[in-house]
Amino acid sequence: MSSALPAPEPSNDEPGGSTVVLGGPEIARALTRIAHEILERNRGGSDLVLLGIPTRGLPLAQRLAAKLAEVEPVLDAQSLVGSIDVTMYRDDLSQHPTRTIGSTDLPGDGIDGKVVVLVDDVLFSGRTIRAALDAISDLGRPRAVQLAALVDRGHRELPIRADFVGKNLPTSTSERVRVLLAETDGRDAVLIEGTR
């Protein structure tokens, strides 16, 4: 009988002082829960459009659409998803004038009369979502607009809240929340950087 030492506790610390708060399995579970909540709130997915806010909101919207289609096989995941570029609607262009303008791609049926679910990785001040709402008003007239965020870190500057949240993550304003996704970064993780 050997007297092996207990395995060390896994560390959530990353190089550079970052802390992992969500790994791949936790992100997958959060997206599964959000997908179910979206279907429950809207009594199915027949009138849904998921608009991802680039960069990481778009792959999150695509993953959510795939999960919606798993639950309701009549849904076509690809036809549910679009992207919405908010660059020209931002209120901080004078402070950060050199931004790359992306593209807005809507599903074939557009957004008129649909329930639009905006999808973003981190909800912080609310200013990106305000810009997205302004962009939507130029694109059509949805029946309703809802918001899904993988992480809500607080510190809102506008009266905006998410309808669907993967993880509420209290942070200080000196900290930075980074979402890494396999599609853009090679792995799935949510990190907090800075002093805690």
Side-chain angles (χ1 to χ4, degrees):
M1 186 165 132
S2 69
S3 58
L5 294 173
E9 289 291 318
S11 172
N12 283 341
D13 292 337
E14 291 272 305
S18 300
T19 301
V20 177
V21 291
L22 291 177
E26 292 87 4
I27 290 173
R29 282 194 298 274
L31 292 175
T32 297
R33 180 175 41 79
I34 290 172
H36 283 275
E37 289 173 0
I38 289 171
L39 289 172
E40 287 175 23
R41 164 128 1 139
N42 295 291
R43 297 188 177 100
S46 59
D47 288 333
L48 290 177
V49 171
L50 306 180
L51 290 183
I53 299 173
T55 299
R56 288 167 186 81
L58 180 55
L60 288 172
Q62 291 165 338
R63 291 189 198 186
L64 279 172
K67 289 182 181 292
L68 295 173
E70 285 175 17
V71 178
E72 287 194 9
V74 296
L75 296 175
D76 174 23
Q78 287 187 327
S79 68
L80 294 175
V81 180
S83 66
I84 184 164
D85 179 64
V86 301
T87 304
M88 297 310 295
Y89 294 89
R90 297 191 62 93
D91 61 3
D92 60 356
L93 282 176
S94 61
Q95 298 166 358
H96 306 284
T98 54
R99 289 182 184 265
T100 303
I101 297 175
S103 64
T104 293
D105 297 307
L106 298 182
D109 291 340
I111 62 171
D112 288 334
K114 304 281 189 178
V115 175
V116 171
V117 181
L118 286 171
V119 182
D120 205 4
D121 56 349
V122 179
L123 178 57
F124 183 27
S125 67
R127 294 187 178 278
T128 298
I129 304 308
R130 184 211 50 82
L133 292 170
D134 288 347
I136 285 173
S137 69
D138 281 350
L139 297 171
R141 186 177 170 88
R143 188 171 81 238
V145 179
Q146 299 168 356
L147 173 60
L150 180 61
V151 174
D152 184 345
R153 64 168 294 188
H155 305 288
R156 212 77 72 243
E157 296 172 7
L158 298 170
I160 289 172
R161 69 172 182 81
D163 299 279
F164 314 103
V165 177
K167 172 90 172 161
N168 287 296
L169 191 60
T171 60
S172 75
T173 52
S174 65
E175 294 171 322
R176 181 171 178 232
V177 175
R178 279 185 58 212
V179 173
L180 305 176
L181 297 177
E183 295 90 335
T184 54
D185 309 290
R187 69 173 177 134
D188 287 350
V190 175
L191 310 176
I192 292 184
E193 300 173 337
T195 56
R196 289 219 74 181

